[in-house]
Amino acid sequence: IIAFDELKTDYKNPIDQCNTLNPVSCVLNIFIFFKGTCSKLLTRIFLFQLVLPEYLIHAFFCVMFLCAAEWLTLGLNMPLLAYHIWRYMSRPVMSGPGLYDPTTIMNADILAYCQKEGWCKLAFYLLSFFYYLYG
């Protein structure tokens, strides 16, 4: 929610904001020391930022609810899991994995949709928290 509000108020530019939301592929220099010599090894690593960990943690909780036979809780979480799968499968075509395209994120309709999605998820997670705590 805060990320899209920063875009709406022009606090951040779309490329920096999408780099925060989407996983960023970067090259890390890793030095391997072998018998006193240093050899440089370049590896390509995807640093997961905000979106993919949310999806993976939610899927993990659904698997845990399935293993614990919490059918009502699993049934309440399945629509959001299905939405996450649909959202990831219908993501824009870009060079790397991610849900937000910097060239179209400033479109008023897309920005309003992303903010509405963020508020709905916040409400769901807040209600879920109290259900898990007291249910």
Side-chain angles (χ1 to χ4, degrees):
I1 297 169
I2 295 171
F4 298 115
D5 187 53
E6 288 176 345
L7 280 175
K8 192 175 180 181
T9 58
D10 288 333
Y11 184 71
K12 273 192 168 178
N13 66 14
I15 295 172
D16 290 339
Q17 198 65 19
C18 288
N19 285 341
T20 303
L21 296 170
N22 293 333
V24 178
S25 173
C26 69
V27 177
L28 296 177
N29 294 328
I30 299 174
F31 295 98
I32 297 177
F33 293 97
F34 183 69
K35 290 187 180 179
T37 62
C38 176
S39 63
K40 188 170 149 182
L41 175 68
L42 296 176
T43 59
R44 193 163 197 87
I45 297 176
F46 286 104
L47 299 174
F48 296 112
Q49 299 291 324
L50 293 175
V51 175
L52 290 180
E54 174 193 354
Y55 290 4
L56 294 175
I57 289 169
H58 190 251
F60 174 73
F61 276 117
C62 288
V63 169
M64 291 291 104
F65 293 142
L66 181 67
C67 291
E70 291 286 336
W71 304 118
L72 178 64
T73 310
L74 182 64
L76 292 173
N77 279 283
M78 286 308 290
L80 185 60
L81 183 66
Y83 176 75
H84 283 164
I85 292 170
W86 172 80
R87 181 92 161 108
Y88 191 76
M89 297 304 284
S90 64
R91 68 188 185 273
V93 177
M94 296 183 295
S95 60
L99 295 178
Y100 303 105
D101 187 14
T103 59
T104 61
I105 194 73
M106 288 301 288
N107 186 351
D109 296 335
I110 294 175
L111 194 57
Y113 176 79
C114 291
Q115 278 188 316
K116 191 181 300 182
E117 177 189 28
W119 281 109
C120 290
K121 281 186 181 182
L122 179 66
F124 176 80
Y125 289 138
L126 189 64
L127 291 173
S128 295
F129 172 75
F130 286 109
Y131 173 74
Y132 302 152
L133 190 63
Y134 297 116

